[in-house]
Amino acid sequence: MKKALLTGCTGQDGSYLTEFLLAGGYEVHGIKRRSSSLNTDRIDHIYRDVHECRTPFFLHYGDLTDASSLATMLHDIRPDEVYNLGAQSHVKVSFDIPEYTADVVATGTLRLLEAVRRTGLKCRFYQASSSEMFGSAAPPQRESTPFHPRSPYGCAKLFGHSITVNYRESYGAHASSGILFNHESPRRGETFVTRKITRALARIKCGIQSKLYLGNLEARRDWGYAPDYVRAMWLMLQQDTPDDYVVGTGEAHTVREFVELAFERAGLDWKEHVVIDPAYFRPAEVDFLLADCTKARRELGWEPTVTFRELVRIMVDADLDQVERQIAGGLDELRRAAAGVSTRA
Ligand code: NAP
Ligand code: G4F
């Protein structure tokens, strides 16, 4: 049985990749950060199976800022494949905490690569690079497009990408870098624009919120569906030769278009609810990201399966469903409390 080690397993991509690898017969080891509150919502359903179905999934405390924890895990687990998905992944936040972002995203990648090298493992390595590295480069962006990052996050990702290439060239590491364009899902973090929109409109529809505060509606992104993208990560590590690949849909839309489609799906008029708030504008914006993923299609046989319109529908429906269930759960709780029965300890 192959073993995989993931950083960022509690995140959006980490949760889908864990499911994908387990379904493919892997033993999966995930690194999670110590947190004062629970941070395993996205993988709790998998963890429940560990006891009931003996699913080979193991969680370990660790951190990309802590080299010794990374070295210990690599030494003890001896994985066949390492996926480095851990990151302070929010672009706007990276302007507020640039040093921490660089520590986790840039130096963290170096720590992990160096731990692999020093352990002498012959494992394959995946680096979660980002289209943010292209920044202001003219679209469409492909592997040969010169990088011009526009945020501390983009700069840190560019270091992580470059050092991955460097370890491949210097030490012969089987290290590949996926330059992934934006990908979303119902598990997307609540402060990224797509999820912020779908979560807010579900709350608006159910009458528990009235306004949605947004920044730049004119930015264009190439948005795909996250489960498709974790398949691309795995495909990269199955190639004989490590390489870099751009992964995206080849179609770009503005934030405004996402808002319009999402509100239309929920049967609401977005103009009655959306308010532009300068607080959400960035010191430097990335205006237009559009992937040319010819190489990934040709060499990996990778194709996206979900269109932009379908993605919006999936996310809107999931958030509407979640808010409705929360409200129903709250009403049940109220009814039980009124009857003198409480589910809370
Ligand atoms: P995400 O949902 O924000 O997940 C990030 C993960 O990194 C979480 O598990 C988080 O843990 C973990 N993490 C944060 N700081 C860490 C640290 N110091 N040490 C170890 N782990 C840490 O991000 P995502 O959307 O799944 O993206 C996965 C990766 O792909 C990231 O590297 C991101 O930068 C990159 N990427 C994403 C996209 C996209 O559109 N989604 C596109 C290109 C590249 P907690 O759960 O405890 O916070
Ligand atoms: O959803 P976003 O925050 O994603 P962004 O900045 O494109 O970064 C995401 O994709 C990258 C790949 O290209 C990843 F590497 C990165 O980790 C992350 O997953 O913002 C998208 C666009 C931006 O132009 C932003 O200015 O939406 C615009 N926007 C407008 N109003 C907003 C808002 N973004 C956020 N987060 N919140 C707003 O209120």
Side-chain angles (χ1 to χ4, degrees):
M1 185 183 273
K2 271 193 182 175
K3 286 187 207 170
L5 176 65
L6 276 65
T7 69
C9 79
T10 57
Q12 171 188 255
D13 291 5
S15 67
Y16 286 119
L17 183 61
T18 298
E19 287 171 354
F20 180 86
L21 292 171
L22 287 170
Y26 280 69
E27 177 176 304
V28 179
H29 295 259
I31 300 180
K32 72 165 179 173
R33 295 193 289 172
R34 151 74 188 147
S35 159
S36 65
S37 54
L38 297 176
N39 60 353
T40 55
D41 282 14
R42 294 182 179 103
I43 52 171
D44 281 343
H45 62 288
I46 310 172
Y47 213 65
R48 271 194 294 277
D49 292 346
V50 167
H51 303 292
E52 288 163 21
C53 317
R54 297 189 192 285
T55 303
F57 177 47
F58 305 90
L59 282 176
H60 310 265
Y61 281 110
D63 202 297
L64 282 161
T65 59
D66 178 12
S68 63
S69 68
L70 303 175
T72 303
M73 267 177 275
L74 285 163
H75 177 269
D76 292 350
I77 297 163
R78 309 198 79 74
D80 301 286
E81 295 174 9
V82 173
Y83 294 85
N84 183 31
L85 310 184
Q88 187 304 92
S89 71
H90 202 285
V91 173
K92 172 82 164 55
V93 172
S94 78
F95 287 98
D96 300 327
I97 48 171
E99 190 178 330
Y100 174 74
T101 302
D103 193 16
V104 177
V105 175
T107 316
T109 303
L110 172 60
R111 286 186 191 102
L112 191 56
L113 281 164
E114 188 59 8
V116 169
R117 186 176 81 85
R118 288 193 174 274
T119 320
L121 282 174
K122 291 284 166 257
C123 61
R124 297 185 172 193
F125 186 94
Y126 173 82
Q127 170 58 15
S129 288
S130 166
S131 51
E132 269 293 306
M133 301 186 311
F134 292 123
S136 58
Q141 295 94 4
R142 55 184 68 86
E143 292 79 4
S144 56
T145 302
F147 297 116
H148 189 149
R150 299 267 288 165
S151 64
Y153 168 83
C155 295
K157 277 288 177 191
L158 183 50
F159 177 86
H161 176 75
S162 307
I163 200 71
T164 301
V165 174
N166 180 256
Y167 270 55
R168 184 165 79 214
E169 293 175 354
S170 306
Y171 306 115
H174 193 296
S176 292
S177 185
I179 307 175
L180 271 48
F181 283 59
N182 299 50
H183 46 279
E184 321 290 312
S185 74
R187 295 186 199 168
R188 184 57 144 151
E190 290 88 347
T191 60
F192 296 97
V193 77
T194 55
R195 186 75 200 289
K196 183 173 169 182
I197 294 165
T198 59
R199 189 165 172 268
L201 73 78
R203 294 165 65 87
I204 291 168
K205 181 84 179 169
C206 294
I208 49 178
Q209 185 173 329
S210 62
K211 298 294 177 199
L212 164 60
Y213 296 89
L214 291 174
N216 179 13
L217 299 187
E218 308 315 325
R220 287 168 198 264
R221 291 290 181 274
D222 180 328
W223 279 296
Y225 184 48
D228 282 342
Y229 289 58
V230 303
R231 195 173 70 253
M233 297 174 189
W234 177 80
L235 280 168
M236 286 177 215
L237 295 205
Q238 309 319 305
Q239 306 307 303
D240 291 338
T241 312
D243 209 340
D244 307 322
Y245 297 90
V246 157
V247 178
T249 68
E251 205 182 295
H253 298 272
T254 58
V255 174
R256 182 187 298 273
E257 285 172 75
F258 193 103
V259 169
E260 285 168 357
L261 258 189
F263 275 75
E264 184 187 304
R265 174 77 188 168
L268 294 167
D269 180 356
W270 71 274
K271 293 199 177 101
E272 287 177 13
H273 303 284
V274 172
V275 179
I276 301 303
D277 182 344
Y280 294 108
F281 282 78
R282 295 158 185 201
E285 178 61 282
V286 170
D287 294 319
F288 196 165
L289 291 176
L290 173 65
D292 174 355
C293 63
T294 308
K295 181 175 170 184
R297 285 176 194 262
R298 189 182 60 234
E299 294 185 14
L300 303 178
W302 181 85
E303 293 284 343
T305 66
V306 172
T307 65
F308 176 66
R309 183 173 280 274
E310 284 165 350
L311 174 67
V312 174
R313 179 183 54 72
I314 290 168
M315 292 182 70
V316 170
D317 291 2
D319 270 322
L320 279 170
D321 185 54
Q322 191 185 84
V323 173
E324 280 162 10
R325 275 189 288 111
Q326 281 166 349
I327 291 171
L331 284 178
D332 281 351
E333 184 72 25
L334 282 175
R335 285 193 196 102
R336 273 193 291 271
V341 186
S342 175
T343 52
R344 291 180 204 278

